[in-house]
Amino acid sequence: MDNLKYTHLIWDFNGTIFDDVEAGIKSVNKMLRERDIKVIPSIETYRDIFDFPIEDYYRGLGFDFDKEPYEVLAPIWVDLYNQNAEEAGLCRGVLETMQEADKMGICQIVLSACEINMLEGYLEKLGVRKYLSSVMGLDNIHARSKLELARVWHEKNPQARALMIGDTTHDYDTAQTLGADCVLYAGGHQSHAKLEACACPVVDSISDVLKYL
């Protein structure tokens, strides 16, 4: 592996591996309708407004945490999401990219703000768990941040030459914490314009990542 540019490919999950943008929008829009709050009208609008921390994104949509704390809203969203994500599949280009990275001998990992058991279940269902040496997720459903997971991994793997692939500015921040290079995919949860604010390449297809390996 000494001749490889990268020893590790670190994947985000939602919107990078899993094509779940529409499932996410449907879920939050149902919650908004039930509370007489204006819904998100389009994928384009969603990609412009989605952000971390999730609490701030929810506040921006109009949820009132004095009436319903985020801790109450989060499990409602997760239940709806799991229903709406039933038909969702892999983002285009993910399987080929994982297979090619596997042939190259690059160690592949998932690092996600998704709850770990939910994450493992989806990866098995999508048929890509076998390409991953490890999966890192949270021990709760609140999706607040994965920076602490990234910090711990970096401390344990200081010699790793890693490339992070994600679809949000939070993934870029995660890559910085990992000491990793980063490529961002513009077909996920944030717009091309938002991602371009980060100091890294932005691609329109996951398979474009291969040219950086």
Side-chain angles (χ1 to χ4, degrees), residues 30-209:
K30 186 171 192 301
M31 293 170 68
L32 291 168
R33 276 192 208 94
E34 288 171 348
R35 290 157 182 80
D36 294 320
I37 304 171
K38 183 181 175 185
V39 300
I40 300 167
S42 67
I43 288 179
E44 290 74 25
T45 301
Y46 170 78
R47 286 178 171 145
D48 283 336
I49 62 176
F50 180 78
D51 214 343
F52 286 88
I54 296 291
E55 285 101 323
D56 290 352
Y57 159 65
Y58 269 44
R59 281 193 195 96
L61 290 172
F63 288 104
D64 185 345
F65 289 169
D66 290 331
K67 290 181 181 174
E68 287 178 291
Y70 176 70
E71 289 75 13
V72 171
L73 293 166
I76 297 171
W77 182 87
V78 168
D79 286 344
L80 290 168
Y81 171 84
N82 283 330
Q83 295 168 37
N84 289 320
E86 277 291 317
E87 303 305 314
L90 291 170
C91 290
R92 197 159 43 91
V94 168
L95 186 58
E96 305 93 283
T97 303
M98 283 191 173
Q99 288 172 337
E100 195 58 36
D102 188 60
K103 284 180 198 167
M104 294 169 73
I106 298 172
C107 182
Q108 299 183 76
I109 292 165
V110 164
L111 175 60
S112 173
C114 185
E115 191 275 327
I116 185 64
N117 294 312
M118 187 170 152
L119 181 59
E120 287 276 16
Y122 275 116
L123 289 166
E124 285 289 352
K125 182 181 172 186
L126 292 164
V128 295
R129 181 62 180 87
K130 61 189 174 186
Y131 298 110
L132 304 166
S133 64
S134 66
V135 175
M136 292 176 285
L138 300 184
D139 62 359
N140 62 75
I141 61 166
H142 297 141
R144 287 199 163 100
S145 174
K146 54 197 175 194
L147 295 183
E148 180 60 20
L149 287 174
R151 187 188 64 75
V152 171
W153 188 87
H154 184 44
E155 285 179 359
K156 289 180 179 176
N157 300 273
Q159 304 304 315
R161 301 188 303 276
L163 177 67
M164 172 102 198
I165 172 170
D167 69 309
T168 67
T169 55
H170 185 59
D171 291 315
Y172 177 75
D173 294 340
T174 302
Q176 298 291 101
T177 304
L178 287 163
D181 290 344
C182 187
V183 175
L184 294 174
Y185 167 56
H189 288 271
Q190 285 186 329
S191 67
H192 207 288
K194 253 190 171 174
L195 300 180
E196 281 180 339
C198 300
C200 69
V202 179
V203 298
D204 293 313
S205 171
I206 296 291
S207 53
D208 288 341
V209 172

Side-chain angles (χ1 to χ4, degrees), residues 7-42:
T7 56
H8 293 75
L9 183 58
I10 302 178
W11 293 84
D12 168 57
F13 179 65
N14 301 96
T16 303
I17 290 175
F18 196 29
D19 188 9
D20 65 348
V21 174
E22 289 192 21
I25 297 170
K26 280 182 187 174
S27 303
V28 80
N29 273 350
K30 186 171 192 301
M31 293 170 68
L32 291 168
R33 276 192 208 94
E34 288 171 348
R35 290 157 182 80
D36 294 320
I37 304 171
K38 183 181 175 185
V39 300
I40 300 167
S42 67

